[in-house]
Amino acid sequence: MIKKDVCSYIIDNFFDKTEPISILSKSDKGKVLVNDETSAYNYDKITKQVYGYIKYPTSADALLVNDKIILLTEFKSGFKRNISKETLDYSMLTCPDDDAKICRDYANLLIDKGKLEINELLDSIKFKAIESYITLDKKILPLCNDFLNDRHLRVIFCVVVDDYIDSMEDTLTELAAKPTSYNTFSHVKSSLLRFVNLKASDNKDYYYDEIKVLSPYEYKRYLNSIKEVDGDSLL
């Protein structure tokens, strides 16, 4: 938890760094992951500004801050896999010299390639969670005023991914009070658990109070819930 007036500092210094969520959630290929016109701060641009030189760390895509939370959001496409052990059509992998023989080695190479790409996505998210917090902690918080009362802000890291079916499966599993099944959402959550509720040597809270992994639909509902509580003010 953060006992700093981050909201006032962000508004005063980065008022020109806001963009709609629909823009911030665009993939490199131009696909909009969350079609929502809520304004948020472009955390990539803030990171570039506070470091002030060409070399700078990775960062989450969006920052939302109010008098209760600091919400860093990473929008990540690419988890939907056309090829996996469960979906691979082995009938399409016949050997060139024998149409009746399935090339299992090639099938395994395709599956391993898909797993490697997923691991690269997970590593990218973990680096962004770490370096986004370091930027907040080292470059922004020292310049913010302390709260004069006992107020504090919860720091949340949210990942929005494009696999809706896995989101439903993960939610239903939680409702059934069973161990979370292996899917995109549970995998991303488990990879980020090490960054929740950590304490530094001086007993200071470090990293995040909460990690969220949401589908685009769930993220829009979450944004609406924040606006309802905070009187439609998110910046």
Side-chain angles (χ1 to χ4, degrees):
M1 293 184 179
I2 303 298
K3 296 183 178 181
K4 296 274 190 175
D5 187 4
V6 179
C7 189
S8 295
Y9 179 79
I10 294 293
I11 291 173
D12 290 343
N13 292 275
F14 305 109
F15 57 88
D16 59 340
K17 299 293 188 295
T18 62
E19 296 177 18
I21 291 293
S22 57
I23 300 298
L24 294 171
S25 69
K26 272 189 178 181
S27 68
D28 293 337
K29 296 180 179 179
K31 175 186 174 183
V32 175
L33 189 57
V34 181
N35 191 6
D36 192 293
E37 294 309 301
T38 300
S39 290
Y41 291 97
N42 186 320
Y43 199 61
D44 289 324
K45 291 183 178 180
I46 289 176
T47 300
K48 291 178 184 178
Q49 179 174 322
V50 298
Y51 282 92
Y53 45 82
I54 296 175
K55 191 174 182 180
Y56 48 85
T58 61
S59 54
D61 296 308
L63 167 68
L64 289 164
V65 58
N66 59 23
D67 62 351
K68 297 179 180 66
I69 65 168
I70 299 169
L71 175 65
L72 289 162
T73 303
E74 173 66 11
F75 301 100
K76 187 63 71 175
S77 298
F79 280 100
K80 284 185 177 179
R81 314 307 299 175
N82 293 324
I83 297 175
S84 67
K85 186 176 181 180
E86 292 75 21
T87 63
L88 189 61
D89 185 355
Y90 287 92
S91 67
M92 301 295 291
L93 299 175
T94 57
C95 295
D97 298 330
D98 186 352
D99 291 341
K101 183 180 179 181
I102 301 298
C103 187
R104 295 284 175 178
D105 289 339
Y106 183 50
N108 290 333
L109 284 174
L110 289 176
I111 292 170
D112 288 343
K113 180 177 181 293
K115 290 179 179 178
L116 180 61
E117 290 170 350
I118 291 296
N119 287 334
E120 288 175 348
L121 287 173
L122 292 172
D123 285 343
S124 170
I125 291 171
K126 284 187 282 188
F127 278 121
K128 290 194 175 189
I130 293 168
E131 296 184 348
S132 293
Y133 186 87
I134 290 173
T135 297
L136 176 69
D137 186 55
K138 301 301 182 182
K139 291 289 189 176
I140 295 176
L141 294 184
L143 302 176
C144 299
N145 294 323
D146 293 325
F147 284 133
L148 298 179
N149 50 28
D150 197 32
R151 291 172 56 194
H152 58 265
L153 304 177
R154 298 180 71 244
V155 187
I156 302 172
F157 187 78
C158 181
V159 184
V160 182
V161 298
D162 58 355
D163 200 331
Y164 179 71
I165 294 176
D166 273 2
S167 170
M168 291 294 292
E169 179 185 332
D170 195 55
T171 300
L172 291 173
T173 302
E174 289 180 0
L175 291 173
K178 295 178 182 178
T180 304
S181 59
Y182 180 87
N183 59 29
T184 299
F185 281 66
S186 59
H187 201 179
V188 175
K189 286 179 184 177
S190 63
S191 71
L192 294 173
L193 283 178
R194 71 188 70 180
F195 306 124
V196 181
N197 294 326
L198 293 179
K199 296 284 187 181
S201 57
D202 58 358
N203 206 38
K204 170 189 172 185
D205 290 332
Y206 214 68
Y207 283 124
Y208 301 98
D209 298 292
E210 185 179 358
I211 298 288
K212 289 182 176 290
V213 184
L214 305 175
S215 71
Y217 172 73
E218 291 168 333
Y219 186 68
K220 289 184 69 170
R221 289 187 60 186
Y222 179 55
L223 290 182
N224 288 332
S225 70
I226 297 173
K227 287 189 283 188
E228 289 172 1
V229 169
D230 198 49
D232 207 35
S233 173
L234 277 169
L235 297 179

